[in-house]
Each structure stands twice: as structure tokens, then as C-alpha cells.
């Protein structure tokens, strides 16, 4: 490439970056956001206490660590606050405005290795009620209601492209897919968890991948958890794509006391992890990827998760969202928007 072409390419790149910094006002009201260990945090107040809550799109139910929020008092008779995992009622929570009376699970986050004290987490029971924009690059959170959120043309003009989360993430939970679509052993009225899952291609093989902003992969960045169904398809379609990495193997706890889940580690040798936009094009791609195959033991199948799915499924660590820079979660149209590469 000659010097003139290099100059033009650099000029175009700088213009794109400058444009990306000018986020549209229709994304909504801004608030501070901190990032710790690849996870986003925002301030929330319960009772007389204020603390940092993880913005966790991988969780359906929000929680509170009463040890970090000493002035937060559950409503009398609503729970046994001395125990963990209790659904406690609180008179009000301020998160982007008053939420009125809320129910939060009791939890203990004191053991997390963070540069802040996690006081709880905000899950999709709240995050699916508004459109939230997580600006990792700018350290800012924005939120808007259905009536004043950006129209698609405004987002496209700002350099964003949409990914489809229909059936997986919505402000209307009646539109969620039946759980049987992911795991044939389920039936009845059970639905998939209200967690944004977008189309991806891993080594050329398509799957749905959960965007889990509460999955901290700061030690090994760009971590992708996959289930055996997806692994089998990759092994058949691209046998050299995944190379075993035994030193990365893990044993994870499950919801069943004493039962561990074996996780096999691989490095992506060929191909990439591609986020797929609604037009089928690769919105962003990552080549340095660590892949973990979750093999859920029979004794822990009741815990759920992608390891139990019979449909090819994946789960992406928070570093992907951090490197996307700005991610817009739109539960009204079941879309996730990100800046194009």
C-alpha cells in the first residue's frame, strides 16, 4: 500500500472513531458506570445504603448483599434476612429512578476479587424493562423507555448494526421460546431464560450465544463456553479448528452440593468468533479465543445452563462486550446493537 492510501485509510479510521464517540442523545439519560474485571457496575440505592451493583444480563433475578448495604432493611415478615438465597421485599430501590417495592435475593459477594465492593447485581428482571446502553469505552450507562428510545435509522447513522435476540430476550416474556427448543427433555410452559442470545459463528459453525455481562473472564480474555452439541459440529466441520489446552481445564461447582462439572479447554486454531448481524454479515470478529466445553454431569442436569442444551449453544465472557466498546440492549425490538468494525 502506498503512502497516499495509508493516509486515507488512517483518516477514515480516525473519522470512524470520532463518529463512534458521538453517541446519539436518543440512547437516553446517562449515568456513571464502572468496569471491574470486565464486568459493568452502576450505583443503586436501597433504603439508606448505596452501592455498586453488577449489570448482569446473564441473570434473571436481581440480588443484594446486605453485608455491603447495612441500611437496607427488608420489609418485616418478607424473608429471613440472615439466610442466603432468600427473596426479600424492600420498600424501594433507586436504579435509574425509583423502582418502587422490589424483591431481591440475599447473596454474599464479599469474596469476589474486585477493585470495588459488589453490593448486588441487577438482572434482566429490571434490565428488560428499558433499553440500556453500556459504554465500556466511555464509562457511561444510558437508559431510555420505549417511547423515547432511538429509532433504528438513528442507530445505523451512528455506526451501529443490530443482532437478533428474538425468542431469547424481550420486555414481553410471553415471546420467549419454549425451553424444549433448546433441550428436548423439557415440555409444558417453561421458557428459555430471559437472557440475550445472539447469532454467532465459531470456526464457521453457527450457534446462539448468550451475552453474559456477569461472566468475568479477565484472567483468560475472550472466553467462550460451548456445549457438547456445538463442539461436535465444530469437530465435524473443521477438525483442526480447536486445539486441546489441558492446562486450562476446570472443575466447576454446580447447584448440587458436592457435584462438579468438568470443563475441557481448547484454543481456537483456525477461523474466528464472529458476531452475526441481522443481514448475515460479520459485525465484529475475534481470532484470539479460548473455548471451554461444558459437560454437565447427569447429577447436575437439573441446574440447567448451556451444558444441558441439545441445541448448539454458547456463552460469551464479559471481555467481548468490553472490546465491542458500546453495546445497546433493546428489549422492545429484541435486538442488541454494536458498532461495526
Amino acid at each position: 500500500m502506498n503512502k497516499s492510501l495509508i493516509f486515507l485509510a488512517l483518516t477514515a479510521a480516525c473519522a470512524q472513531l470520532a463518529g463512534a464517540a458521538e453517541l446519539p442523545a436518543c440512547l437516553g439519560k446517562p449515568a456513571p458506570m464502572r468496569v471491574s474485571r470486565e464486568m459493568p457496575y452502576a450505583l443503586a440505592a436501597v433504603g439508606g445504603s448505596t452501592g455498586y451493583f453488577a449489570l448482569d444480563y446473564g441473570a434473571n433475578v436481581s440480588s443484594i448483599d446486605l453485608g455491603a448495604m447495612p441500611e437496607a432493611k427488608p420489609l418485616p415478615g418478607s424473608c429471613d434476612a440472615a439466610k442466603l438465597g432468600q427473596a426479600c421485599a424492600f420498600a424501594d430501590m433507586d436504579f435509574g429512578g425509583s423502582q418502587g417495592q422490589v424483591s431481591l435475593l440475599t447473596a454474599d459477594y464479599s469474596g469476589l476479587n474486585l477493585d470495588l465492593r459488589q453490593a448486588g447485581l441487577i438482572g434482566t428482571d429490571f434490565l428488560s424493562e428499558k433499553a440500556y446502553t453500556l459504554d465500556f469505552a466511555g464509562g457511561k450507562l444510558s437508559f431510555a423507555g420505549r417511547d423515547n428510545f432511538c429509532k433504528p435509522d438513528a442507530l445505523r447513522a451512528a455506526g451501529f448494526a443490530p443482532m437478533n435476540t428474538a425468542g431469547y430476550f424481550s420486555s414481553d416474556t410471553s415471546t420467549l421460546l419454549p425451553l424444549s427448543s433448546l433441550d428436548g427433555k423439557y415440555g409444558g410452559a417453561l421458557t428459555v431464560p430471559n437472557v440475550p442470545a445472539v447469532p454467532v459463528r465459531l470456526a464457521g459453525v453457527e450457534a446462539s450465544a448468550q451475552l453474559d455481562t456477569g461472566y468475568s473472564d479477565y484472567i483468560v480474555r475472550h472466553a467462550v463456553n460451548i456445549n457438547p452439541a456445538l463442539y461436535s459440529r465444530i469437530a465435524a466441520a473443521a477438525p483442526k479448528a480447536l486445539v486441546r489446552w489441558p492446562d486450562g481445564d476446570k472443575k466447576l461447582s454446580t447447584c448440587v452440593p458436592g457435584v462438579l462439572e468438568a470443563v475441557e479447554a481448547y484454543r481456537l486454531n483456525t477461523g474466528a468468533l464472529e458476531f452475526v448481524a441481522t443481514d448475515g454479515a460479520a459485525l465484529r470478529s475475534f481470532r484470539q479465543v479460548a473455548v471451554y466445553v461444558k459437560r454437565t454431569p447427569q447429577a447436575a442436569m437439573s441446574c440447567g445452563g448451556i451444558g444441558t442444551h441439545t441445541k448448539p449453544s454458547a456463552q460469551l465472557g464479559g471481555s467481548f462486550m468490553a472490546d465491542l466498546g458500546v453495546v445497546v440492549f433493546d428489549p422492545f425490538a429484541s435486538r442488541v446493537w454494536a458498532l461495526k468494525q
Side-chain angles (χ1 to χ4, degrees):
M1 183 180 288
N2 62 38
K3 291 183 178 180
S4 296
L5 290 177
I6 292 173
F7 175 78
L8 289 173
L10 290 173
T11 301
C14 291
Q16 184 179 21
L17 289 173
E22 304 254 347
L23 298 179
C26 56
L27 290 175
K29 184 177 179 180
M33 186 181 84
R34 282 186 62 177
V35 179
S36 180
R37 305 303 196 201
E38 309 287 7
M39 297 185 296
Y41 286 84
L43 288 171
V46 182
S49 291
T50 299
Y52 282 102
F53 282 62
L55 304 175
D56 189 353
Y57 277 91
N60 292 98
V61 181
S62 299
S63 60
I64 187 170
D65 183 342
L66 293 173
M69 303 282 281
E71 301 301 320
K73 306 297 183 185
L75 293 177
S78 67
C79 67
D80 183 350
K83 296 180 180 179
L84 299 179
Q86 296 283 298
C88 293
F90 297 86
D92 188 30
M93 178 174 72
D94 189 324
F95 169 64
S98 174
Q99 301 292 328
Q101 183 173 317
V102 299
S103 177
L104 302 171
L105 292 181
T106 53
D108 180 4
Y109 298 113
S110 60
L112 296 181
N113 182 20
L114 302 167
D115 58 3
L116 52 78
R117 177 67 161 95
Q118 181 168 322
L121 67 81
I122 305 293
T124 59
D125 46 351
F126 292 98
L127 295 176
S128 65
E129 294 182 343
K130 294 179 181 178
Y132 288 91
T133 298
L134 308 187
D135 181 355
F136 289 87
K140 183 174 67 175
L141 167 71
S142 301
F143 52 93
R146 181 189 298 270
D147 294 337
N148 53 11
F149 179 60
C150 295
K151 302 300 182 186
D153 286 349
L155 291 169
R156 288 191 173 92
F160 290 91
M163 295 177 284
N164 185 23
T165 65
Y168 293 98
F169 176 62
S170 177
S171 57
D172 180 1
T173 56
S174 70
T175 65
L176 298 178
L177 290 169
L179 190 55
S180 59
S181 65
L182 299 182
D183 191 335
K185 73 175 180 289
Y186 289 103
L190 291 175
T191 67
V192 301
N194 195 16
V195 170
V198 300
V200 298
R201 286 188 290 261
L202 181 58
V205 177
E206 295 187 358
S208 294
Q210 295 178 347
L211 303 183
D212 189 352
T213 54
Y215 173 15
S216 175
D217 60 343
Y218 75 97
I219 295 178
V220 180
R221 300 187 83 250
H222 297 165
V224 183
N225 293 338
I226 68 174
N227 66 348
L230 179 53
Y231 172 78
S232 296
R233 290 203 181 178
I234 295 172
K240 296 182 180 181
L242 299 179
V243 176
R244 274 288 277 137
W245 177 38
D247 289 345
D249 288 356
K250 300 177 182 179
K251 290 281 190 179
L252 303 180
S253 61
T254 69
C255 71
V256 180
V259 177
L260 299 178
E261 179 180 51
V263 179
E264 297 172 357
Y266 294 79
R267 293 288 193 182
L268 188 62
N269 183 49
T270 62
L273 183 284
E274 297 178 324
F275 289 86
V276 181
T278 53
D279 62 2
L283 191 158
R284 299 285 286 274
S285 61
F286 298 84
R287 294 191 178 277
Q288 301 299 318
V289 174
V291 178
Y292 299 92
V293 183
K294 294 172 66 69
R295 301 188 184 278
T296 304
Q298 191 62 40
M301 294 296 279
S302 60
C303 299
I306 65 166
T308 68
H309 296 174
T310 54
K311 179 181 177 180
S313 303
Q315 180 185 36
L316 305 184
S319 65
F320 286 102
M321 274 66 78
D323 285 355
L324 288 176
V326 182
V327 186
V328 182
F329 294 87
D330 175 8
F332 312 126
S334 292
R335 294 286 187 270
V336 172
W337 298 75
L339 292 168
K340 292 181 290 186
Q341 60 186 1

